[in-house]
Amino acid sequence: MKTPKISEAVVRRLPVYLRYLQELHELNIRTVSSYELGQKLDMNPAQIRKDLAYFGEFGRKGIGYEVIYLVEKIKQILKIDRHLNCALIGAGHLGIALSNYNRFTQEKLSIAAIFDNSPDKIGTPVGTLTIQPLDELEQMVRERDILIGIITVPAVEAQKVADRLVEAGIKGILNFAPTSLRVPAHVSVRNADLTTELQTLAYYID
Amino acid sequence: MKTPKISEAVVRRLPVYLRYLQELHELNIRTVSSYELGQKLDMNPAQIRKDLAYFGEFGRKGIGYEVIYLVEKIKQILKIDRHLNCALIGAGHLGIALSNYNRFTQEKLSIAAIFDNSPDKIGTPVGTLTIQPLDELEQMVRERDILIGIITVPAVEAQKVADRLVEAGIKGILNFAPTSLRVPAHVSVRNADLTTELQTLAYYID
DNA sequence: TAGATTGTTAATCGATTAACAATC
DNA sequence: TAGATTGTTAATCGATTAACAATC
Protein backbone atom coordinates (compact mmCIF):
# COMPACT_ATOMS: atom_id res chain seq x y z
CA MET A 1 0.00 0.00 0.00
CA LYS A 2 2.93 2.39 0.41
CA THR A 3 3.73 4.40 -2.61
CA PRO A 4 6.83 4.74 -4.77
CA LYS A 5 6.85 8.14 -6.44
CA ILE A 6 3.50 9.46 -7.51
CA SER A 7 3.44 12.35 -9.97
CA GLU A 8 1.50 15.48 -9.16
CA ALA A 9 -0.66 14.88 -12.23
CA VAL A 10 -1.91 11.68 -10.63
CA VAL A 11 -2.56 13.31 -7.25
CA ARG A 12 -4.51 16.14 -8.86
CA ARG A 13 -6.85 13.67 -10.53
CA LEU A 14 -7.73 11.84 -7.34
CA PRO A 15 -10.02 14.60 -5.99
CA VAL A 16 -11.78 14.64 -9.34
CA TYR A 17 -12.46 10.92 -9.13
CA LEU A 18 -13.55 11.34 -5.52
CA ARG A 19 -15.99 14.10 -6.31
CA TYR A 20 -17.72 12.09 -9.00
CA LEU A 21 -17.75 8.90 -6.94
CA GLN A 22 -19.48 10.83 -4.18
CA GLU A 23 -22.09 11.97 -6.69
CA LEU A 24 -22.61 8.35 -7.72
CA HIS A 25 -22.92 7.32 -4.10
CA GLU A 26 -25.66 9.88 -3.54
CA LEU A 27 -27.47 8.37 -6.50
CA ASN A 28 -27.21 4.97 -4.77
CA ILE A 29 -25.01 3.57 -7.50
CA ARG A 30 -23.03 0.68 -6.06
CA THR A 31 -20.47 -0.12 -8.69
CA VAL A 32 -18.70 1.68 -11.51
CA SER A 33 -16.21 0.65 -14.18
CA SER A 34 -13.19 2.60 -15.32
CA TYR A 35 -14.94 2.83 -18.68
CA GLU A 36 -17.98 4.56 -17.18
CA LEU A 37 -15.79 6.89 -15.12
CA GLY A 38 -13.82 7.71 -18.24
CA GLN A 39 -16.97 8.48 -20.21
CA LYS A 40 -18.25 10.89 -17.61
CA LEU A 41 -14.96 12.56 -16.73
CA ASP A 42 -13.68 12.66 -20.28
CA MET A 43 -10.63 10.61 -19.46
CA ASN A 44 -8.95 7.48 -20.69
CA PRO A 45 -10.11 4.45 -18.68
CA ALA A 46 -6.60 2.99 -18.69
CA GLN A 47 -5.35 6.14 -17.04
CA ILE A 48 -7.95 5.90 -14.31
CA ARG A 49 -7.09 2.26 -13.62
CA LYS A 50 -3.41 3.03 -13.59
CA ASP A 51 -3.83 6.01 -11.27
CA LEU A 52 -5.75 3.91 -8.77
CA ALA A 53 -3.43 0.93 -9.11
CA TYR A 54 -0.53 3.01 -7.81
CA PHE A 55 -2.17 2.81 -4.41
CA GLY A 56 -3.58 -0.71 -4.32
CA GLU A 57 -5.97 -3.14 -5.95
CA PHE A 58 -9.31 -1.48 -5.40
CA GLY A 59 -11.37 -3.04 -8.18
CA ARG A 60 -12.67 -6.46 -9.08
CA LYS A 61 -12.01 -7.98 -12.45
CA GLY A 62 -15.18 -8.36 -14.46
CA ILE A 63 -17.11 -6.12 -12.04
CA GLY A 64 -15.47 -2.74 -11.64
CA TYR A 65 -15.05 -0.63 -8.51
CA GLU A 66 -17.35 -0.57 -5.51
CA VAL A 67 -18.25 3.08 -5.14
CA ILE A 68 -18.33 3.39 -1.33
CA TYR A 69 -15.14 1.43 -0.95
CA LEU A 70 -13.28 3.51 -3.51
CA VAL A 71 -14.50 6.74 -1.90
CA GLU A 72 -13.04 5.61 1.41
CA LYS A 73 -9.79 4.53 -0.17
CA ILE A 74 -9.25 7.78 -2.02
CA LYS A 75 -9.99 9.73 1.15
CA GLN A 76 -7.32 7.71 2.92
CA ILE A 77 -4.84 8.29 0.13
CA LEU A 78 -5.45 12.03 0.16
CA LYS A 79 -5.34 11.98 3.97
CA ILE A 80 -8.71 13.64 4.19
CA ASP A 81 -10.06 10.82 6.32
CA ARG A 82 -8.78 12.80 9.30
CA HIS A 83 -9.28 16.38 10.39
CA LEU A 84 -7.00 19.02 8.96
CA ASN A 85 -6.93 22.51 10.35
CA CYS A 86 -6.31 25.54 8.16
CA ALA A 87 -5.58 29.15 8.96
CA LEU A 88 -6.98 31.85 6.74
CA ILE A 89 -4.85 34.96 6.40
CA GLY A 90 -6.62 37.95 4.93
CA ALA A 91 -10.25 38.70 5.84
CA GLY A 92 -11.21 40.52 2.66
CA HIS A 93 -14.17 39.57 0.51
CA LEU A 94 -12.50 36.44 -0.76
CA GLY A 95 -11.33 35.39 2.69
CA ILE A 96 -14.80 35.77 4.14
CA ALA A 97 -16.31 33.92 1.20
CA LEU A 98 -13.93 31.01 1.80
CA SER A 99 -14.60 30.87 5.51
CA ASN A 100 -18.32 30.67 4.81
CA TYR A 101 -17.80 27.96 2.22
CA ASN A 102 -19.44 25.14 4.06
CA ARG A 103 -18.02 22.43 1.92
CA PHE A 104 -14.82 22.75 3.87
CA THR A 105 -16.36 21.56 7.11
CA GLN A 106 -18.17 18.73 5.36
CA GLU A 107 -14.85 17.50 4.14
CA LYS A 108 -12.96 17.48 7.43
CA LEU A 109 -10.96 20.43 6.22
CA SER A 110 -11.78 23.24 8.57
CA ILE A 111 -10.72 26.80 8.99
CA ALA A 112 -9.56 27.04 12.58
CA ALA A 113 -8.42 30.68 12.70
CA ILE A 114 -8.75 33.88 10.67
CA PHE A 115 -6.19 36.67 10.65
CA ASP A 116 -6.08 40.20 9.37
CA ASN A 117 -4.09 43.25 10.36
CA SER A 118 -6.65 45.91 9.66
CA PRO A 119 -7.80 47.42 13.01
CA ASP A 120 -11.42 47.70 11.88
CA LYS A 121 -11.52 43.98 11.12
CA ILE A 122 -9.80 42.60 14.20
CA GLY A 123 -12.40 41.36 16.66
CA THR A 124 -15.13 40.98 14.05
CA PRO A 125 -16.91 37.63 14.28
CA VAL A 126 -16.94 35.36 11.22
CA GLY A 127 -19.10 32.34 11.83
CA THR A 128 -17.84 30.77 15.03
CA LEU A 129 -14.46 32.48 14.75
CA THR A 130 -13.18 35.98 15.42
CA ILE A 131 -10.73 37.83 13.23
CA GLN A 132 -7.38 37.98 15.03
CA PRO A 133 -4.32 40.15 14.55
CA LEU A 134 -1.49 38.61 12.56
CA ASP A 135 0.71 38.78 15.68
CA GLU A 136 -1.15 35.81 17.05
CA LEU A 137 -0.46 33.63 14.01
CA GLU A 138 2.44 31.59 15.37
CA GLN A 139 0.72 30.97 18.68
CA MET A 140 -2.52 29.82 17.04
CA VAL A 141 -0.73 27.54 14.58
CA ARG A 142 0.81 25.76 17.53
CA GLU A 143 -2.25 25.74 19.79
CA ARG A 144 -4.71 24.61 17.15
CA ASP A 145 -2.47 22.23 15.27
CA ILE A 146 -2.82 24.13 12.03
CA LEU A 147 -1.03 22.52 9.09
CA ILE A 148 -2.28 24.56 6.14
CA GLY A 149 -2.34 28.30 5.50
CA ILE A 150 -4.76 29.89 3.06
CA ILE A 151 -3.40 33.21 1.84
CA THR A 152 -5.91 35.79 0.69
CA VAL A 153 -3.92 38.95 1.39
CA PRO A 154 -2.80 41.38 -1.34
CA ALA A 155 0.13 40.27 -3.51
CA VAL A 156 2.64 42.59 -1.86
CA GLU A 157 2.07 41.04 1.54
CA ALA A 158 1.82 37.44 0.43
CA GLN A 159 5.51 36.52 0.64
CA LYS A 160 5.82 37.97 4.14
CA VAL A 161 2.81 35.98 5.27
CA ALA A 162 4.17 32.83 3.60
CA ASP A 163 7.49 33.27 5.41
CA ARG A 164 5.74 33.52 8.74
CA LEU A 165 3.57 30.50 8.03
CA VAL A 166 6.62 28.46 7.11
CA GLU A 167 8.44 29.68 10.19
CA ALA A 168 5.46 28.70 12.33
CA GLY A 169 5.73 25.17 11.01
CA ILE A 170 2.93 24.96 8.47
CA LYS A 171 3.17 22.19 5.84
CA GLY A 172 1.10 23.52 2.95
CA ILE A 173 -0.11 26.79 1.49
CA LEU A 174 -3.08 27.52 -0.71
CA ASN A 175 -2.17 30.83 -2.29
CA PHE A 176 -4.84 33.10 -3.73
CA ALA A 177 -2.52 36.08 -4.02
CA PRO A 178 -1.39 36.85 -7.56
CA THR A 179 2.32 36.33 -6.94
CA SER A 180 4.78 33.43 -6.97
CA LEU A 181 5.79 32.39 -3.48
CA ARG A 182 9.21 31.09 -2.52
CA VAL A 183 9.08 28.42 0.15
CA PRO A 184 11.37 25.62 1.32
CA ALA A 185 11.05 22.24 -0.37
CA HIS A 186 9.25 20.62 2.56
CA VAL A 187 6.32 23.02 2.17
CA SER A 188 3.80 22.48 -0.65
CA VAL A 189 2.17 25.39 -2.40
CA ARG A 190 -0.90 25.35 -4.61
CA ASN A 191 -1.74 28.48 -6.48
CA ALA A 192 -5.34 29.49 -6.95
CA ASP A 193 -4.91 32.88 -8.53
CA LEU A 194 -8.18 33.67 -10.25
CA THR A 195 -6.65 36.14 -12.68
CA THR A 196 -4.20 33.51 -13.89
CA GLU A 197 -7.07 31.12 -14.54
CA LEU A 198 -9.02 33.69 -16.48
CA GLN A 199 -5.97 34.67 -18.50
CA THR A 200 -5.38 31.06 -19.43
CA LEU A 201 -9.01 30.82 -20.47
CA ALA A 202 -8.73 33.98 -22.57
CA TYR A 203 -6.08 32.29 -24.73
CA TYR A 204 -8.62 29.73 -25.88
CA ILE A 205 -11.33 32.26 -26.74
CA ASP A 206 -11.65 32.18 -30.55
CA MET B 1 3.92 34.57 -35.33
CA LYS B 2 1.03 32.16 -35.83
CA THR B 3 1.16 29.11 -33.71
CA PRO B 4 1.34 25.39 -34.48
CA LYS B 5 -0.07 23.41 -31.56
CA ILE B 6 0.72 24.79 -28.15
CA SER B 7 0.21 22.51 -25.19
CA GLU B 8 -1.93 23.62 -22.30
CA ALA B 9 1.08 23.35 -20.00
CA VAL B 10 2.75 26.11 -22.00
CA VAL B 11 -0.34 28.34 -21.98
CA ARG B 12 -0.74 27.95 -18.24
CA ARG B 13 2.80 29.16 -17.67
CA LEU B 14 2.38 32.35 -19.69
CA PRO B 15 0.27 34.15 -17.05
CA VAL B 16 2.88 33.24 -14.47
CA TYR B 17 5.62 34.82 -16.56
CA LEU B 18 3.41 37.82 -17.17
CA ARG B 19 2.69 38.35 -13.51
CA TYR B 20 6.34 38.37 -12.57
CA LEU B 21 7.33 40.54 -15.52
CA GLN B 22 4.76 43.07 -14.39
CA GLU B 23 6.34 43.03 -10.94
CA LEU B 24 9.73 43.66 -12.51
CA HIS B 25 8.28 46.49 -14.56
CA GLU B 26 6.96 48.17 -11.43
CA LEU B 27 10.46 47.95 -10.00
CA ASN B 28 11.72 49.74 -13.11
CA ILE B 29 13.74 46.78 -14.22
CA ARG B 30 14.30 47.00 -17.97
CA THR B 31 15.73 43.68 -18.93
CA VAL B 32 15.67 40.14 -17.64
CA SER B 33 17.30 36.88 -18.72
CA SER B 34 15.69 33.47 -18.81
CA TYR B 35 18.17 32.49 -16.13
CA GLU B 36 16.93 35.19 -13.77
CA LEU B 37 13.29 34.35 -14.49
CA GLY B 38 14.06 30.71 -13.84
CA GLN B 39 15.70 31.51 -10.53
CA LYS B 40 12.76 33.49 -9.27
CA LEU B 41 9.99 31.27 -10.62
CA ASP B 42 11.75 28.04 -9.83
CA MET B 43 11.76 26.91 -13.42
CA ASN B 44 14.23 25.70 -15.98
CA PRO B 45 15.51 28.61 -18.10
CA ALA B 46 15.47 26.46 -21.23
CA GLN B 47 11.80 25.82 -20.68
CA ILE B 48 11.07 29.52 -20.39
CA ARG B 49 12.97 30.29 -23.59
CA LYS B 50 11.25 27.45 -25.40
CA ASP B 51 7.81 28.51 -24.21
CA LEU B 52 8.35 32.04 -25.45
CA ALA B 53 9.96 30.92 -28.69
CA TYR B 54 6.74 29.15 -29.71
CA PHE B 55 5.28 32.58 -30.29
CA GLY B 56 8.17 34.56 -31.74
CA GLU B 57 11.68 35.83 -31.13
CA PHE B 58 11.18 38.15 -28.20
CA GLY B 59 14.68 38.23 -26.75
CA ARG B 60 18.09 39.46 -27.76
CA LYS B 61 21.09 37.19 -27.67
CA GLY B 62 23.61 38.29 -25.07
CA ILE B 63 21.07 40.65 -23.46
CA GLY B 64 17.89 38.87 -22.48
CA TYR B 65 14.30 40.04 -22.73
CA GLU B 66 13.10 43.62 -22.55
CA VAL B 67 10.53 43.57 -19.77
CA ILE B 68 7.93 46.00 -21.18
CA TYR B 69 8.12 44.47 -24.61
CA LEU B 70 7.66 40.95 -23.31
CA VAL B 71 4.72 42.04 -21.14
CA GLU B 72 3.01 43.42 -24.22
CA LYS B 73 3.76 40.35 -26.28
CA ILE B 74 2.43 37.92 -23.67
CA LYS B 75 -0.71 40.01 -23.33
CA GLN B 76 -1.20 39.76 -27.08
CA ILE B 77 -0.65 36.02 -27.03
CA LEU B 78 -3.16 35.52 -24.23
CA LYS B 79 -5.52 37.93 -25.98
CA ILE B 80 -5.83 40.06 -22.88
CA ASP B 81 -4.72 43.14 -24.80
CA ARG B 82 -8.40 43.64 -25.59
CA HIS B 83 -11.49 43.80 -23.42
CA LEU B 84 -13.18 40.56 -22.52
CA ASN B 85 -16.58 40.55 -20.89
CA CYS B 86 -17.56 37.91 -18.37
CA ALA B 87 -20.88 36.97 -16.82
CA LEU B 88 -20.99 35.84 -13.22
CA ILE B 89 -23.67 33.31 -12.39
CA GLY B 90 -24.34 32.87 -8.69
CA ALA B 91 -24.29 35.85 -6.36
CA GLY B 92 -23.33 34.01 -3.19
CA HIS B 93 -20.37 34.97 -1.03
CA LEU B 94 -17.87 33.75 -3.56
CA GLY B 95 -19.62 35.41 -6.47
CA ILE B 96 -19.72 38.75 -4.67
CA ALA B 97 -16.09 38.40 -3.67
CA LEU B 98 -15.12 37.83 -7.30
CA SER B 99 -17.14 40.75 -8.57
CA ASN B 100 -15.40 43.01 -6.09
CA TYR B 101 -12.01 41.64 -7.03
CA ASN B 102 -10.63 44.74 -8.64
CA ARG B 103 -7.79 43.01 -10.36
CA PHE B 104 -10.24 41.91 -13.00
CA THR B 105 -10.94 45.40 -14.21
CA GLN B 106 -7.25 46.31 -14.16
CA GLU B 107 -6.65 43.45 -16.51
CA LYS B 108 -9.27 44.23 -19.13
CA LEU B 109 -11.25 41.28 -17.94
CA SER B 110 -14.48 42.67 -16.62
CA ILE B 111 -17.62 41.28 -15.14
CA ALA B 112 -20.40 42.72 -17.27
CA ALA B 113 -23.42 41.06 -15.67
CA ILE B 114 -24.34 39.15 -12.50
CA PHE B 115 -27.12 36.59 -12.28
CA ASP B 116 -28.90 34.79 -9.50
CA ASN B 117 -32.30 33.23 -9.20
CA SER B 118 -32.98 33.93 -5.56
CA PRO B 119 -35.78 36.54 -5.31
CA ASP B 120 -34.16 38.33 -2.38
CA LYS B 121 -30.98 38.85 -4.40
CA ILE B 122 -32.47 39.98 -7.71
CA GLY B 123 -32.29 43.74 -7.95
CA THR B 124 -29.54 44.09 -5.37
CA PRO B 125 -26.73 46.37 -6.54
CA VAL B 126 -23.18 44.99 -6.68
CA GLY B 127 -20.72 47.69 -7.55
CA THR B 128 -22.00 49.28 -10.74
CA LEU B 129 -24.12 46.24 -11.62
CA THR B 130 -27.42 44.88 -10.41
CA ILE B 131 -28.15 41.22 -9.81
CA GLN B 132 -30.40 39.98 -12.57
CA PRO B 133 -32.64 36.92 -12.86
CA LEU B 134 -31.17 33.99 -14.77
CA ASP B 135 -33.92 34.40 -17.38
CA GLU B 136 -32.08 37.37 -18.76
CA LEU B 137 -28.83 35.45 -19.28
CA GLU B 138 -29.13 34.80 -23.00
CA GLN B 139 -30.21 38.33 -23.77
CA MET B 140 -27.35 39.88 -21.78
CA VAL B 141 -24.77 37.57 -23.31
CA ARG B 142 -25.81 38.84 -26.71
CA GLU B 143 -26.25 42.51 -25.79
CA ARG B 144 -23.01 42.85 -23.85
CA ASP B 145 -20.84 40.61 -25.98
CA ILE B 146 -20.07 38.28 -23.13
CA LEU B 147 -17.62 35.51 -24.02
CA ILE B 148 -16.86 33.96 -20.64
CA GLY B 149 -19.10 32.62 -17.91
CA ILE B 150 -17.96 32.36 -14.30
CA ILE B 151 -20.01 29.76 -12.48
CA THR B 152 -20.36 30.14 -8.72
CA VAL B 153 -23.67 28.37 -8.22
CA PRO B 154 -24.06 25.16 -6.16
CA ALA B 155 -22.82 21.95 -7.76
CA VAL B 156 -26.29 20.62 -8.55
CA GLU B 157 -27.13 23.64 -10.67
CA ALA B 158 -23.78 24.02 -12.39
CA GLN B 159 -24.39 21.75 -15.37
CA LYS B 160 -27.72 23.43 -16.13
CA VAL B 161 -26.06 26.83 -16.04
CA ALA B 162 -23.19 25.59 -18.20
CA ASP B 163 -25.66 24.26 -20.78
CA ARG B 164 -27.39 27.63 -20.96
CA LEU B 165 -24.10 29.48 -21.24
CA VAL B 166 -23.02 27.22 -24.09
CA GLU B 167 -26.39 27.61 -25.76
CA ALA B 168 -26.09 31.39 -25.45
CA GLY B 169 -22.83 31.26 -27.35
CA ILE B 170 -20.22 31.66 -24.64
CA LYS B 171 -16.67 30.48 -25.45
CA GLY B 172 -15.17 29.73 -22.05
CA ILE B 173 -16.22 28.80 -18.55
CA LEU B 174 -14.44 29.32 -15.26
CA ASN B 175 -16.11 26.79 -13.00
CA PHE B 176 -15.99 27.19 -9.23
CA ALA B 177 -18.67 24.58 -8.63
CA PRO B 178 -17.36 21.28 -7.31
CA THR B 179 -18.53 19.15 -10.23
CA SER B 180 -17.19 18.13 -13.63
CA LEU B 181 -18.95 19.93 -16.45
CA ARG B 182 -19.69 18.43 -19.84
CA VAL B 183 -19.40 20.96 -22.64
CA PRO B 184 -18.85 20.79 -26.41
CA ALA B 185 -15.26 20.78 -27.66
CA HIS B 186 -15.39 24.40 -28.86
CA VAL B 187 -15.94 25.62 -25.30
CA SER B 188 -13.01 25.74 -22.86
CA VAL B 189 -13.49 25.01 -19.19
CA ARG B 190 -11.13 25.77 -16.34
CA ASN B 191 -11.94 24.35 -12.98
CA ALA B 192 -11.25 26.37 -9.87
CA ASP B 193 -12.81 24.18 -7.26
CA LEU B 194 -11.28 25.18 -3.96
CA THR B 195 -12.01 21.89 -2.26
CA THR B 196 -10.15 20.03 -4.97
CA GLU B 197 -7.13 22.25 -4.45
CA LEU B 198 -7.14 21.73 -0.70
CA GLN B 199 -7.53 17.99 -1.10
CA THR B 200 -4.55 17.89 -3.43
CA LEU B 201 -2.59 19.87 -0.87
CA ALA B 202 -3.64 17.49 1.91
CA TYR B 203 -1.91 14.63 0.10
CA TYR B 204 1.43 16.36 0.52
CA ILE B 205 1.03 17.08 4.23
CA ASP B 206 3.53 14.84 6.05
C1' DT C 1 -19.22 -21.18 -19.07
C1' DA C 2 -19.09 -16.54 -21.58
C1' DG C 3 -18.68 -11.76 -20.99
C1' DA C 4 -16.75 -8.07 -18.61
C1' DT C 5 -13.28 -5.58 -16.60
C1' DT C 6 -9.32 -5.25 -13.83
C1' DG C 7 -4.14 -4.65 -13.05
C1' DT C 8 -0.04 -4.28 -15.52
C1' DT C 9 3.35 -4.52 -19.18
C1' DA C 10 4.93 -2.67 -23.37
C1' DA C 11 4.46 0.92 -26.93
C1' DT C 12 3.61 5.50 -27.93
C1' DC C 13 3.45 9.97 -27.37
C1' DG C 14 4.68 14.40 -25.54
C1' DA C 15 7.10 17.45 -22.50
C1' DT C 16 11.35 18.85 -20.26
C1' DT C 17 16.15 19.57 -20.21
C1' DA C 18 20.89 19.84 -22.00
C1' DA C 19 23.83 21.52 -25.20
C1' DC C 20 25.53 24.65 -28.48
C1' DA C 21 25.88 27.53 -32.67
C1' DA C 22 24.46 32.13 -33.56
C1' DT C 23 24.89 36.69 -32.28
C1' DC C 24 24.16 40.85 -29.45
C1' DT D 1 36.90 41.46 -28.87
C1' DA D 2 35.11 38.57 -24.83
C1' DG D 3 31.18 37.44 -22.23
C1' DA D 4 26.46 36.62 -22.06
C1' DT D 5 22.35 34.82 -23.54
C1' DT D 6 19.15 33.68 -26.98
C1' DG D 7 16.66 30.29 -30.15
C1' DT D 8 16.69 25.65 -31.42
C1' DT D 9 18.08 20.91 -32.07
C1' DA D 10 18.90 16.61 -30.06
C1' DA D 11 18.70 13.71 -25.91
C1' DT D 12 16.29 12.50 -21.96
C1' DC D 13 12.79 11.83 -19.20
C1' DG D 14 8.07 10.98 -17.86
C1' DA D 15 3.25 10.46 -18.74
C1' DT D 16 -0.45 8.52 -21.45
C1' DT D 17 -2.50 4.93 -24.02
C1' DA D 18 -3.03 0.31 -26.02
C1' DA D 19 -3.14 -4.33 -25.39
C1' DC D 20 -3.87 -8.46 -23.00
C1' DA D 21 -3.42 -12.18 -19.54
C1' DA D 22 -5.72 -12.90 -15.27
C1' DT D 23 -9.94 -13.59 -13.14
C1' DC D 24 -14.47 -12.32 -11.25
Side-chain angles (χ1 to χ4, degrees):
Chain A
M1 208 93 142
K2 252 308 129 200
T3 58
K5 209 186 51 190
I6 308 297
S7 82
E8 197 190 308
V10 173
V11 178
R12 274 209 315 263
R13 286 191 292 265
L14 294 178
V16 177
Y17 302 151
L18 176 60
R19 208 170 54 183
Y20 182 54
L21 288 164
Q22 286 172 326
E23 283 181 32
L24 289 179
H25 180 53
E26 271 161 39
L27 298 171
N28 284 313
I29 291 165
R30 293 281 167 83
T31 272
V32 68
S33 70
S34 61
Y35 176 80
E36 294 169 301
L37 285 170
Q39 283 288 308
K40 167 66 190 190
L41 299 176
D42 224 341
M43 289 175 172
N44 185 302
Q47 179 171 68
I48 297 173
R49 294 200 298 279
K50 198 159 202 287
D51 284 353
L52 297 173
Y54 283 118
F55 303 97
E57 304 199 357
F58 302 142
R60 288 212 292 162
K61 293 183 173 70
I63 309 289
Y65 299 90
E66 198 194 341
V67 173
I68 315 177
Y69 180 72
L70 193 51
V71 163
E72 289 312 312
K73 281 299 172 187
I74 295 179
K75 283 185 179 177
Q76 281 173 28
I77 294 163
L78 292 173
K79 305 196 198 93
I80 53 173
D81 55 338
R82 36 189 179 281
H83 271 283
L84 185 53
N85 285 330
C86 306
L88 182 69
I89 302 93
H93 287 294
L94 182 59
I96 300 297
L98 294 180
S99 63
N100 285 316
Y101 195 45
N102 60 3
R103 226 184 136 78
F104 285 152
T105 50
Q106 278 173 40
E107 298 291 343
K108 298 206 180 185
L109 293 162
S110 53
I111 293 177
I114 305 184
F115 301 93
D116 201 300
N117 253 345
S118 147
D120 52 315
K121 281 179 185 159
I122 292 166
T124 305
V126 177
T128 60
L129 300 168
T130 300
I131 299 175
Q132 297 175 265
L134 210 55
D135 293 341
E136 299 173 6
L137 179 68
E138 287 79 1
Q139 187 195 341
M140 281 292 127
V141 166
R142 256 180 282 115
E143 273 180 25
R144 302 203 175 157
D145 233 321
I146 291 171
L147 292 178
I148 286 183
I150 304 175
I151 297 183
T152 56
V153 302
V156 284
E157 294 167 34
Q159 184 63 60
K160 254 183 308 170
V161 169
D163 292 344
R164 288 185 62 177
L165 285 168
V166 168
E167 187 58 36
I170 228 121
K171 299 288 177 53
I173 293 177
L174 182 56
N175 177 36
F176 286 89
T179 192
S180 293
L181 299 179
R182 307 279 340 217
V183 298
H186 70 276
V187 175
S188 307
V189 175
R190 307 236 6 115
N191 289 298
D193 175 8
L194 314 171
T195 304
T196 297
E197 294 293 331
L198 270 181
Q199 289 176 345
T200 304
L201 204 49
Y203 175 84
Y204 293 103
I205 304 305
D206 271 20
Chain B
M1 206 90 138
K2 250 307 126 199
T3 58
K5 208 187 50 186
I6 308 297
S7 81
E8 198 191 306
V10 173
V11 178
R12 274 209 316 262
R13 285 191 292 266
L14 295 177
V16 177
Y17 302 151
L18 176 60
R19 209 170 53 183
Y20 182 54
L21 288 163
Q22 286 172 325
E23 283 181 33
L24 290 178
H25 180 53
E26 270 160 42
L27 297 170
N28 284 313
I29 291 164
R30 293 283 167 82
T31 270
V32 68
S33 70
S34 60
Y35 175 81
E36 294 168 301
L37 285 171
Q39 282 287 308
K40 167 66 190 188
L41 299 176
D42 223 342
M43 288 175 174
N44 185 303
Q47 179 171 68
I48 296 173
R49 293 200 299 279
K50 198 160 202 285
D51 283 352
L52 297 172
Y54 282 118
F55 303 97
E57 304 200 357
F58 303 141
R60 288 214 290 164
K61 294 182 173 68
I63 310 289
Y65 299 91
E66 198 193 340
V67 174
I68 316 178
Y69 180 72
L70 193 50
V71 163
E72 289 312 312
K73 281 298 173 187
I74 294 179
K75 284 185 179 178
Q76 282 173 28
I77 295 163
L78 291 173
K79 307 197 197 91
I80 52 173
D81 56 337
R82 34 193 180 279
H83 271 283
L84 184 53
N85 285 331
C86 305
L88 182 69
I89 303 93
H93 286 294
L94 181 60
I96 301 297
L98 294 180
S99 64
N100 285 315
Y101 194 46
N102 60 2
R103 225 184 136 79
F104 285 151
T105 51
Q106 279 174 39
E107 297 291 343
K108 298 205 181 185
L109 293 162
S110 52
I111 293 177
I114 304 186
F115 301 94
D116 202 299
N117 252 345
S118 144
D120 53 313
K121 282 179 185 159
I122 292 166
T124 305
V126 177
T128 60
L129 300 169
T130 300
I131 298 175
Q132 296 176 265
L134 210 55
D135 293 342
E136 298 173 7
L137 179 68
E138 287 78 2
Q139 188 195 341
M140 281 293 127
V141 166
R142 256 179 283 115
E143 272 180 26
R144 302 204 176 154
D145 234 321
I146 291 171
L147 292 177
I148 286 183
I150 303 176
I151 297 182
T152 57
V153 301
V156 284
E157 293 167 34
Q159 183 63 59
K160 255 182 308 172
V161 170
D163 292 343
R164 288 185 62 176
L165 286 167
V166 168
E167 187 58 35
I170 229 121
K171 299 287 178 53
I173 293 176
L174 182 55
N175 176 36
F176 285 90
T179 192
S180 293
L181 299 178
R182 306 279 341 218
V183 298
H186 70 274
V187 175
S188 306
V189 175
R190 306 236 5 113
N191 289 297
D193 175 9
L194 314 170
T195 304
T196 296
E197 294 293 331
L198 270 181
Q199 290 176 345
T200 303
L201 203 50
Y203 176 84
Y204 293 102
I205 304 306
D206 273 19

